[in-house]
Structures are given as structure tokens and as C-alpha cells.
Amino acid sequence: MTSTPNEEPTLADVIEKLDKLSSDSEKFNDRFSNYQQATQWVVQLAFTLIASATITIIITSVLRK
């Protein structure tokens, strides 16, 4: 009957995992920033389209009279 020794993580292992978590966090922040910018762009585009449609309707109704 052989038993595997219960290995405790070393300080180097802990530091390595912390570095990996830090880089994962940076990747997440970059993705979130890109998503936020894309969302702002879509919202600005939607408002621009709504404003231009409104102005077009107002101008055409004024010119027809």
C-alpha cells in the first residue's frame, strides 16, 4: 500500500498563482473596458439616428406647409 505524500504549496507556488490571477484580472479589465467603449458607441449611434430622424420629420413637415 503506497500513499502519496500530501504536498504543501511552496511560497513560489503561491507567488506564481498570484501573478497568474493578476494577469487574468488585467485581461478582464481590458475586456470590460472594450465592452464599455463599444456600448457607449452603440448608444451614441442610436441617439444620433433618433435625432436625425426627428429633425428630418420636423423639416419635411415644415417645408410641406
Side-chain angles (χ1 to χ4, degrees):
M1 181 179 213
T2 60
S3 63
T4 58
N6 188 4
E7 293 185 15
E8 293 287 326
T10 63
L11 185 57
D13 294 335
V14 172
I15 291 172
E16 181 180 327
K17 289 203 183 243
L18 283 174
D19 288 340
K20 184 174 177 351
L21 284 175
S22 176
S23 67
D24 289 346
S25 174
E26 289 174 12
K27 288 179 189 176
F28 175 77
N29 287 340
D30 289 341
R31 286 184 194 159
F32 182 77
S33 176
N34 290 341
Y35 176 76
Q36 186 178 19
Q37 289 174 351
T39 303
Q40 286 176 341
W41 184 81
V42 169
V43 168
Q44 287 176 349
L45 178 63
F47 278 120
T48 303
L49 291 173
I50 291 169
S52 63
T54 303
I55 290 171
T56 303
I57 291 171
I58 291 172
I59 289 174
T60 55
S61 67
V62 167
L63 291 179
R64 285 187 183 174
K65 288 184 177 182

